[in-house]
């Protein structure tokens, strides 16, 4: 498939570049800037984009490309587009001059277009763009033209048409550059000449074929099914490919939300007719091991290890009946691989269970069919495969489940109180039509007793915290400015209907400096 390769120089928006290219129908992937040239050659990209980054080209140890790289793109006629640091780097390495500027330019700027053709065809004379730089190009190498400038940045875009090398100082990948897409579109169409073959339907059919081929006619696959979007979509894909030779293991760790155990079983066993659906009720084991444990990391560790233990035991049991289990499927998605991970607190993620310690004769190959996809692509595929919308649009839920939402030690009583409150919260948020626009919304059990009064009685109960956040990318999140009347309704219902809470507080902290979860 025609590919646009993005080389990552450490820019915070790097991820968005590949995203935008895919939105235009061309497959795109990101590799570190210093990836071996052989690897780039093997991909045979139709075009290469150099991302922005925090460095200065003159800085000690700043990331650079090799001269072999420039030779390769020139020999193979591969167009290159540099963005911000990438823009400086091309100019610098081909003997132009860069200077640091006293004033950092940060925010939206007016871009004056000098050449409205080529890379900037479709731009108006003046366009709003997003700038974020200190350094800028002072002098271009020979054979390069200036395409645009701003009042403080005379060389805000350049082209060397003959060599097909381009650069933009601004960030076309961010939403704050409204016409940014035009830059990528021009690059893809006019220079990279890449075919727009990245369509999810093609991807689904192709992936099912690949899984069938890889697993062959007899071997079997196991999968830890959490009921979340990623593992559900992997399950649905593999099930399409090999039917009952997929064994999905759904572990009830006693830390799931209300009704989740029933809903997941109903969906996969009854609705989707997964013959290889295996439910393991390990609630008691988990709660026994968690008894009295207060430290959040210790809780996570116990949950992670116990999961592996339960999952392995079930796998070994299944193996006795079906000696052909040779693959372990995982719901790893693209952002999981590119970022080191959104969170370091991932010990209990089913995704990270490479560390199974199965008997030697049971070495499993890993299958990760979603590893090149973004979350919204995974969601679309899930719908395409017939998964219910409730699973697809479900808010993220941490692997260690409600254990990170009960502060301090966990027991069944506290978990049930939390489940009941959380159910009310979600119901009210759904009724208000807000569920899909929020990143996550949930209740937290604060084991702090305060005094209340119910009718003629004095109460002495725990506090329920409500957390509702908006986020684009999980790295940052803002608390949702929920309507006070809605909050009042939720609070009243929780206090009246849930035994165990007599006070509700609303969390007004953003991330950073707070996190989304409490532990
Ligand atoms: P924080 O609390 O770090 O959470 O802002 C960011 C996102 O990650 C989820 N999260 C986890 N997911 N295992 C997981 O699988 C975990 O240990 C874990 N901790 C946090 C959290 O729900 C949010 O979406």
């Amino acid at each position: 498939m025609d590919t646009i390769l993005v080389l990552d120089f450490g820019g915070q928006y790097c991820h968005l570049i590949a995203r935008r290219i895919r939105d235009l129908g061309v497959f795109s992937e990101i590799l570190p800037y210093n990836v071996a040239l052989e690897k780039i050659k093997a991909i045979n990209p139709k075009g290469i984009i150099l991302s922005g980054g925090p460095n200065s080209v003159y800085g000690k140890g700043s990331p650079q490309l090799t001269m072999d790289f420039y030779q390769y793109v020139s020999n193979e006629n591969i167009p290159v587009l540099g963005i911000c640091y990438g823009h400086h780097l091309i100019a610098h390495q081909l003997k132009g001059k860069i200077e640091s500027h006293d004033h950092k330019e940060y925010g939206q700027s007016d871009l004056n277009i000098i050449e409205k053709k080529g890379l900037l065809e479709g731009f108006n004379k003046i366009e709003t763009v997003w700038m974020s730089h200190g350094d800028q190009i002072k002098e271009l190498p020979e054979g390069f033209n200036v395409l645009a400038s701003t009042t403080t940045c005379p060389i805000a875009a350049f082209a060397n048409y003959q060599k097909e090398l381009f650069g933009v100082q601004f960030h076309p990948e961010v939403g704050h550059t409204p016409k940014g897409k035009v830059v990528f579109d021009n690059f893809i169409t006019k220079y990279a000449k890449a075919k727009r073959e990245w369509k999810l339907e093609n991807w689904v059919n192709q992936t099912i074929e690949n899984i069938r081929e890889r697993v062959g006619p007899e071997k079997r696959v196991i999968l830890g099914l959490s009921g979340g979007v990623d593992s559900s979509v992997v399950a649905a894909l593999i099930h399409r490919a090999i039917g009952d030779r997929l064994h999905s293991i759904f572990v009830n760790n006693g830390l799931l939300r209300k009704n989740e155990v029933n809903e997941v079983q109903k969906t996969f066993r009854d609705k989707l007719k997964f013959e290889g659906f295996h439910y393991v009720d390990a609630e008691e084991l988990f709660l026994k091991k968690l008894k009295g444990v207060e430290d959040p990391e210790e809780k996570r560790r116990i949950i992670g290890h116990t999961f592996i233990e339960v999952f392995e035991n079930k796998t070994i049991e299944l193996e006795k009946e079906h000696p052909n289990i040779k693959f372990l499927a995982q719901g790893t998605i693209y952002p999981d691989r590119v970022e080191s991970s959104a969170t370091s607190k991932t010990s209990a993620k089913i995704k990270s269970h490479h560390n199974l310690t199965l008997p030697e004769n049971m070495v499993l190959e890993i299958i990760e069919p979603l590893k090149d996809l973004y979350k919204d692509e995974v969601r679309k595929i899930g719908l395409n495969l017939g998964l219910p919308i409730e699973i697809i649009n479900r808010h993220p839920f941490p692997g260690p489940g409600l254990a990170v939402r009960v502060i301090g030690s966990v027991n069944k009583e506290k978990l049930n109180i939390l489940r009941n409150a959380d159910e009310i919260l979600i119901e009210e948020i759904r009724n208000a039509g807000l569920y899909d626009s929020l990143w996550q919304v949930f209740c937290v059990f604060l084991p702090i007793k305060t005094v209340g009064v119910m009718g003629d009685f004095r109460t002495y109960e725990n506090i329920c915290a409500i957390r509702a956040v908006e986020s684009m990318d999980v790295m940052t999140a803002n608390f949702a400015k929920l309507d006070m009347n809605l909050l009042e309704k939720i609070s009243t219902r929780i206090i009246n209907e849930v035994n165990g809470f007599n006070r509700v507080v609303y969390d007004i902290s953003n991330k950073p400096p707070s996190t989304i979860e409490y532990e």
Side-chain angles (χ1 to χ4, degrees):
M1 192 177 345
D2 283 2
T3 300
I4 301 285
L5 181 62
V6 178
L7 292 182
D8 181 2
F9 286 87
Q12 55 175 327
Y13 307 127
C14 180
H15 223 228
L16 289 175
I17 303 172
R19 199 57 276 242
R20 297 288 168 257
I21 303 287
R22 288 186 185 194
D23 285 344
L24 290 165
V26 178
F27 183 66
S28 178
E29 69 174 301
I30 304 173
L31 289 176
Y33 76 92
N34 55 357
V35 61
L37 192 52
E38 291 314 311
K39 186 137 188 213
I40 300 182
K41 286 182 182 166
I43 292 171
N44 191 18
K46 298 294 281 184
I48 299 179
I49 299 182
L50 314 180
S51 85
N55 293 280
S56 164
V57 290
Y58 293 123
K60 201 165 160 251
S62 63
Q64 311 258 332
L65 292 165
T66 59
M67 283 303 135
D68 286 349
F69 172 86
Y70 288 99
Q71 196 59 52
Y72 161 70
V73 293
S74 159
N75 291 348
E76 301 294 323
N77 295 322
I78 298 172
V80 178
L81 168 65
I83 296 176
C84 198
Y85 181 80
H87 163 87
H88 304 155
L89 192 67
I90 297 173
H92 169 64
Q93 293 199 288
L94 301 182
K95 310 275 176 271
K97 282 205 179 97
I98 313 298
E99 66 175 4
S100 29
H101 215 244
D102 293 344
H103 297 292
K104 283 207 187 320
E105 193 180 10
Y106 181 80
Q108 283 188 321
S109 278
D110 281 342
L111 185 76
N112 297 300
I113 314 301
I114 299 163
E115 281 196 19
K116 269 176 66 172
K117 58 173 198 173
L119 195 67
L120 302 184
E121 187 173 313
F123 268 40
N124 292 315
K125 192 84 196 100
I126 296 180
E127 288 287 355
T128 305
V129 295
W130 181 259
M131 291 286 207
S132 170
H133 65 113
D135 288 6
Q136 59 185 39
I137 299 177
K138 188 172 177 211
E139 217 175 89
L140 281 170
E142 236 179 79
F144 286 65
N145 296 359
V146 182
L147 303 185
S149 61
T150 70
T151 43
T152 56
C153 178
I155 306 173
F158 69 69
N160 180 325
Y161 293 111
Q162 206 215 332
K163 292 189 169 156
E164 298 203 323
L165 298 174
F166 305 90
V168 288
Q169 177 61 77
F170 60 91
H171 287 275
E173 68 276 27
V174 303
H176 302 298
T177 301
K179 282 269 185 78
K181 200 169 147 182
V182 173
V183 175
F184 294 125
D185 210 347
N186 286 330
F187 182 71
I188 288 170
T189 318
K190 294 175 192 289
Y191 305 111
K193 301 193 172 64
K195 288 200 225 63
R196 298 180 193 239
E197 299 163 312
W198 177 249
K199 293 208 180 63
L200 288 180
E201 301 82 74
N202 300 350
W203 183 92
V204 169
N205 295 335
Q206 188 61 52
T207 305
I208 290 174
E209 262 319 298
N210 293 349
I211 295 171
R212 244 179 230 146
E213 207 171 291
R214 184 158 169 217
V215 177
E218 276 157 20
K219 293 179 183 159
R220 292 172 181 265
V221 179
I222 53 159
L223 163 80
L225 185 64
S226 70
V229 186
D230 303 339
S231 67
S232 298
V233 174
V234 172
L237 262 175
I238 300 182
H239 187 252
R240 277 276 172 96
I242 61 165
D244 65 359
R245 285 183 293 126
L246 167 70
H247 298 279
S248 315
I249 302 175
F250 171 53
V251 177
N252 175 6
N253 59 7
L255 305 164
L256 302 172
R257 286 161 290 189
K258 194 152 177 187
N259 297 327
E260 200 161 4
V261 170
N262 291 336
E263 278 163 16
V264 173
Q265 294 191 72
K266 231 173 28 204
T267 303
F268 288 94
R269 188 179 279 152
D270 304 343
K271 191 159 180 271
L272 298 173
K273 310 261 181 267
F274 271 37
E275 307 84 347
F277 179 92
H278 309 279
Y279 170 64
V280 184
D281 184 354
E283 180 177 19
E284 261 185 46
L285 176 69
F286 276 86
L287 294 189
K288 200 172 97 203
K289 292 200 174 196
L290 284 168
K291 195 169 171 207
V293 181
E294 297 198 346
D295 179 68
E297 285 314 312
E298 183 61 8
K299 285 203 253 179
R300 274 201 166 69
R301 199 188 59 76
I302 291 171
I303 295 165
H305 283 187
T306 311
F307 179 87
I308 292 177
E309 184 188 319
V310 171
F311 190 78
E312 278 182 357
N313 286 342
K314 187 68 195 177
T315 306
I316 292 165
E317 181 193 317
L318 286 170
E319 233 269 332
K320 290 202 182 109
E321 209 181 317
H322 309 286
N324 256 334
I325 298 178
K326 298 291 176 213
F327 297 90
L328 169 67
Q330 306 215 30
T332 320
I333 67 171
Y334 198 49
D336 296 333
R337 294 196 296 137
V338 177
E339 298 156 12
S340 55
S341 168
T343 161
S344 58
K345 304 182 283 188
T346 49
S347 55
K349 270 192 181 173
I350 287 178
K351 289 176 188 179
S352 59
H353 286 149
H354 299 279
N355 43 354
L356 293 183
T357 48
L358 290 163
E360 238 172 71
N361 61 343
M362 268 202 79
V363 178
L364 301 174
E365 274 184 54
I366 306 285
I367 300 190
E368 295 175 313
L370 309 180
K371 70 182 187 346
D372 292 326
L373 301 182
Y374 289 94
K375 193 83 174 184
D376 58 322
E377 292 173 326
V378 172
R379 290 200 158 109
K380 279 189 209 146
I381 288 169
L383 283 178
N384 180 297
L385 290 169
L387 287 175
I389 189 96
E390 301 80 55
I391 287 195
I392 299 301
N393 286 346
R394 208 140 195 225
H395 289 168
F397 185 62
L402 299 180
V404 296
R405 297 180 183 168
V406 171
I407 310 308
S409 68
V410 175
N411 62 33
K412 201 163 173 171
E413 189 197 350
K414 294 180 192 170
L415 288 164
N416 279 338
I417 295 172
L418 183 62
R419 281 189 185 106
N420 290 336
D422 201 62
E423 188 188 33
I424 293 173
L425 171 68
I426 300 293
E427 189 181 311
E428 289 300 333
I429 292 288
R430 280 195 191 278
N431 287 347
L434 294 173
Y435 187 83
D436 290 338
S437 62
L438 293 170
W439 177 268
Q440 272 173 296
V441 48
F442 53 86
C443 290
V444 182
F445 186 103
L446 306 184
I448 301 167
K449 293 211 167 182
T450 68
V451 174
V453 53
M454 289 273 267
D456 296 329
F457 297 98
R458 182 180 169 280
T459 59
Y460 190 52
E461 302 282 12
N462 302 287
I463 301 180
C464 172
I466 294 178
R467 184 79 168 131
V469 295
E470 289 164 347
S471 174
M472 296 294 284
D473 56 4
V474 101
M475 305 298 285
T476 62
N478 291 333
F479 77 87
K481 319 290 181 289
L482 294 183
D483 180 74
M484 282 295 168
N485 293 320
L486 176 63
L487 284 171
E488 182 178 27
K489 189 169 176 199
I490 294 167
S491 148
T492 309
R493 276 197 64 194
I494 290 177
I495 294 169
N496 284 345
E497 295 174 36
V498 180
N499 246 330
F501 287 134
N502 66 352
R503 194 175 293 273
V504 173
V505 294
Y506 188 55
D507 184 342
I508 54 168
S509 343
N510 292 334
K511 171 183 179 178
S514 298
T515 51
I516 297 176
E517 303 288 347
Y518 272 42
E519 284 204 333

